[in-house]
Amino acid sequence: MRWTGAHLELLDQRRLPDEIVYLACHNAEEVAGAIREMVVRGAPAIGCAAAFGYALAARAGDDLERAAALLAASRPTAVNLFWAIARMRATRGDEAAQAEALAIYAEDIAANKALGAHGTALIPEGARIMTHCNAGALATAGHGTALGIVRSAHAAGKRVAVIANETRPYLQGARLTAWEMLQEGIPVTLEADVAAGHLMSHGEVDLVLVGADRIAANGDVANKIGTYTLAVLARRHGLPFYVAAPCSTFDLALADGRAIPIEERPADEVTGFRSERWAPRGVAVRNPAFDVTPAELVSAIVCERGVIERPDRARIGALLG
Amino acid sequence: MRWTGAHLELLDQRRLPDEIVYLACHNAEEVAGAIREMVVRGAPAIGCAAAFGYALAARAGDDLERAAALLAASRPTAVNLFWAIARMRATRGDEAAQAEALAIYAEDIAANKALGAHGTALIPEGARIMTHCNAGALATAGHGTALGIVRSAHAAGKRVAVIANETRPYLQGARLTAWEMLQEGIPVTLEADVAAGHLMSHGEVDLVLVGADRIAANGDVANKIGTYTLAVLARRHGLPFYVAAPCSTFDLALADGRAIPIEERPADEVTGFRSERWAPRGVAVRNPAFDVTPAELVSAIVCERGVIERPDRARIGALLG
């Protein structure tokens, strides 16, 4: 995303990898719409976008409480959104709002680079890294969380290869993660989500590395639907299951993952894709966009402050409290 | 599928649920092509189709060894194909071949009805049954294996509801299972495969019920890619994991599932669907079409001779040997 000083430009992720098109947002309403419609997605990225949306409202002299409410109502699961809006509401005046949004943006890039460096220590030479959805540059202000670690390890000269789950229904793995890795020249293999267990059982995966949308105080992790299944499979196969996220993704007010609201998205994401419809008319659909992985299945959480091995309330509190 | 006495008509499953179109096959080569191109799929169904393909070759006076080899080379994993071809090769003459193909077809329907009756005893009143791929009438000569049990339970007056995994990459769950259940008036809910773990962890699934493409002597089950993951999830959540298949799906010559050949299908099934392409050009793809679920994760196998609880070599041998 780009802040021009006058408005926010968002790379329209719905059109990737086919087209590179930026969408200009001139007010909080347009930013909220862009988040809701998945022009921009990924927990840290929607936090940054919301911050700029608030800054646009401050500049225009719009009702700031209404702007904050609009932005907060765009999507329910990623806590970075609410964290960023809370930071913005503590500012006073147009200039302070713009400065705070730019700070949130810059801090996110710095956090990703720091967690990338911490996480690199977890990646063995030659690692075949399975990831889910897109926790890359596109999901953040830049560099990425899970893919930030991949980038940092690659930049440090480690030989790594990514196995990208396509991530139905919205196909962020196929469209975004595969594209980001191809751009960087990092080896990437795409698979349907259903193949993850087969590859693990054939010894073709060394570790699983994903991002997060919200992490509760006990280490339970909400992330893209399908993440929980990967954690269960990783446990069965004795593979490390790592989560990468900045501190802004932790929600220490939540005791555990049961209270994390799980967004249910429209049926038409499941019954087809773009112009294609393949399910019969009239079929009922369930489309939860996230799931919760219990902390006991998480080998470590990597944030900008360091690595939390076997995360629990005490270890998370010790680093973040 | 329909045998006219002169040729074989196959419902083109690639075009379901949008269009009901039958494709006529006049020789073994056309039948082998139809199996390879997924006009007809499902282990019992491709066994029946291959039998009719052989009967067409016998009628035309074609080279029967060549016809058998062509049909056997169409797809590698489902053992029903090789079982049916072996039965056909034991026949002598045009009339015997046609009679044998019709017998294989009729026996499959009878087997499905018998296993449907046996399986009904496993289905509790009100059961929410998760299934994968399509193990229905379309995958067999008629009635179905996993969905045959659903049909039999429904016909017996039990209240049941089906949760259909869409089954990427070929979407047999979304296109075929959802369509079959809607036709029958059996409640069905479609979900992306990635949502299975979430639904189980929220207590929304009572059991998993799938078909099979090949079952080894020890009870290891090859079935549509993604089945193994469901079995791992079912075990974690203490849910029964049932497999429904006729005796023709058992391959007692194989000690265990490791020797089952797993078909790798074309990349373009993963990079898009029909006219839509969503993955970036040049990305590497893995597309295994089947996986193997170890017997220890299988609660029971239902075949036409009865129910094999906690399947192992001894229990399978006792019923089938």
Side-chain angles (χ1 to χ4, degrees):
Chain A
M1 68 188 74
R2 304 185 262 204
W3 176 249
T4 66
H7 63 270
L8 178 66
E9 292 184 343
L10 294 169
L11 177 58
D12 190 342
Q13 298 191 27
R14 298 170 304 182
R15 297 165 78 168
L16 287 174
D18 306 315
E19 298 173 283
I20 312 288
V21 179
Y22 282 83
L23 193 81
C25 296
H26 301 89
N27 53 52
E29 199 147 10
E30 287 178 5
V31 174
I35 295 171
R36 196 173 49 242
E37 301 300 329
M38 311 260 273
V39 172
V40 58
R41 30 60 54 201
I46 68 177
C48 292
F52 287 119
Y54 190 98
L56 287 167
R59 162 155 309 178
D62 292 343
D63 180 337
L64 290 175
E65 285 314 294
R66 184 173 166 274
L70 261 176
L71 291 161
S74 59
R75 293 191 72 190
T77 303
V79 77
N80 311 61
L81 182 69
F82 310 106
W83 168 88
I85 293 168
R87 272 183 66 165
M88 295 304 295
R89 287 182 65 199
T91 63
R92 291 292 168 266
D94 171 18
E95 282 187 32
Q98 183 179 190
E100 186 71 352
L102 287 167
I104 287 171
Y105 180 85
E107 287 167 26
D108 189 56
I109 296 177
N112 290 337
K113 293 203 166 156
L115 75 81
H118 292 305
T120 293
L122 298 172
I123 309 296
E125 169 66 19
R128 297 159 300 176
I129 302 168
M130 180 174 282
T131 191
H132 194 63
C133 195
N134 171 266
L138 293 166
T140 62
H143 197 66
T145 54
L147 295 186
I149 293 175
V150 171
R151 280 193 168 87
S152 294
H154 180 71
K158 281 189 177 168
R159 192 169 45 85
V160 294
V162 170
I163 300 160
N165 288 335
E166 64 175 9
T167 317
R168 277 283 292 156
Y170 212 66
L171 297 162
Q172 294 95 333
R175 296 189 299 111
L176 309 180
T177 293
W179 183 75
E180 278 197 35
M181 294 296 95
L182 285 174
Q183 299 276 315
E184 302 263 333
I186 298 173
V188 59
T189 301
L190 177 66
E191 62 156 11
D193 307 301
V194 283
H198 177 77
L199 294 194
M200 288 188 197
S201 71
H202 281 67
E204 298 184 35
V205 181
D206 296 305
L207 60 92
V208 179
L209 175 56
V210 298
D213 288 83
R214 193 184 299 216
I215 303 173
N218 72 335
D220 289 353
V221 174
N223 191 46
K224 179 56 51 192
I225 189 79
T227 300
Y228 167 61
T229 292
L230 295 179
V232 171
L233 287 167
R235 172 61 51 90
R236 177 171 171 94
H237 293 286
L239 301 176
F241 179 86
Y242 297 129
V243 174
C247 294
S248 56
T249 302
F250 286 82
D251 185 355
L252 300 181
L254 288 187
D256 61 44
R258 284 174 298 181
I260 299 175
I262 301 297
E263 178 183 10
E264 184 90 18
R265 291 190 55 84
D268 65 4
E269 288 183 359
V270 176
T271 55
F273 188 76
R274 290 183 184 150
S275 69
E276 284 290 353
R277 285 288 155 265
W278 49 66
R281 283 183 190 284
V283 69
V285 171
R286 281 299 306 277
N287 186 17
F290 302 93
D291 60 26
V292 173
T293 298
E296 54 118 349
L297 295 177
V298 179
S299 308
I301 301 174
V302 186
C303 70
E304 64 270 40
R305 296 195 192 167
V307 176
I308 308 166
E309 306 258 12
R310 289 167 291 113
D312 62 13
R313 172 177 291 274
R315 294 192 190 91
I316 290 171
L319 199 69
L320 272 73
Chain B
M1 70 186 73
R2 305 182 213 156
W3 176 249
T4 66
H7 63 270
L8 179 65
E9 292 184 342
L10 293 170
L11 177 58
D12 190 344
Q13 298 191 28
R14 299 170 304 181
R15 296 166 79 169
L16 287 174
D18 307 315
E19 297 172 284
I20 311 289
V21 180
Y22 282 83
L23 193 82
C25 296
H26 302 90
N27 54 51
E29 200 148 10
E30 288 179 2
V31 173
I35 295 171
R36 196 171 52 242
E37 303 298 329
M38 312 261 271
V39 172
V40 60
R41 28 62 53 201
I46 69 179
C48 292
F52 287 120
Y54 189 99
L56 286 168
R59 162 156 311 180
D62 293 343
D63 179 338
L64 289 176
E65 284 315 294
R66 183 173 167 274
L70 262 176
L71 291 162
S74 59
R75 294 192 71 191
T77 303
V79 77
N80 311 61
L81 181 69
F82 310 106
W83 168 88
I85 293 168
R87 273 184 64 167
M88 294 304 295
R89 287 181 65 199
T91 64
R92 292 291 169 264
D94 169 18
E95 281 187 32
Q98 182 180 191
E100 187 72 351
L102 287 167
I104 287 171
Y105 180 85
E107 287 168 25
D108 189 56
I109 296 177
N112 291 337
K113 293 204 165 155
L115 75 81
H118 292 305
T120 293
L122 299 173
I123 308 297
E125 169 66 20
R128 295 158 302 176
I129 303 167
M130 180 174 282
T131 191
H132 195 62
C133 196
N134 172 266
L138 292 165
T140 63
H143 196 66
T145 53
L147 295 187
I149 293 175
V150 171
R151 279 194 169 87
S152 293
H154 180 71
K158 282 190 177 168
R159 193 169 44 85
V160 294
V162 169
I163 300 161
N165 288 335
E166 64 176 7
T167 318
R168 277 284 291 155
Y170 211 67
L171 297 163
Q172 295 95 332
R175 296 189 299 110
L176 309 180
T177 294
W179 182 75
E180 277 197 35
M181 293 296 95
L182 285 174
Q183 299 277 316
E184 301 264 334
I186 297 173
V188 59
T189 301
L190 178 65
E191 61 155 12
D193 307 302
V194 283
H198 177 78
L199 294 193
M200 288 187 197
S201 70
H202 281 67
E204 298 183 35
V205 181
D206 296 306
L207 60 93
V208 179
L209 175 56
V210 297
D213 288 82
R214 195 186 296 216
I215 302 173
N218 72 337
D220 290 353
V221 174
N223 191 44
K224 179 56 51 193
I225 188 79
T227 300
Y228 168 60
T229 292
L230 294 179
V232 171
L233 287 168
R235 172 60 53 89
R236 178 171 170 93
H237 293 285
L239 300 176
F241 179 85
Y242 297 129
V243 175
C247 294
S248 55
T249 302
F250 286 80
D251 184 356
L252 300 181
L254 288 187
D256 60 47
R258 284 174 300 182
I260 299 175
I262 301 296
E263 178 183 10
E264 185 88 19
R265 291 191 54 85
D268 65 3
E269 288 184 358
V270 176
T271 55
F273 188 77
R274 291 185 185 148
S275 69
E276 285 290 353
R277 285 288 156 264
W278 50 67
R281 283 182 190 283
V283 69
V285 170
R286 282 297 307 277
N287 186 18
F290 302 93
D291 59 26
V292 174
T293 297
E296 53 120 348
L297 295 177
V298 178
S299 308
I301 302 174
V302 186
C303 70
E304 65 270 39
R305 295 194 193 167
V307 177
I308 307 166
E309 306 258 10
R310 288 167 292 113
D312 62 13
R313 172 177 291 276
R315 293 191 192 93
I316 290 170
L319 199 69
L320 271 73

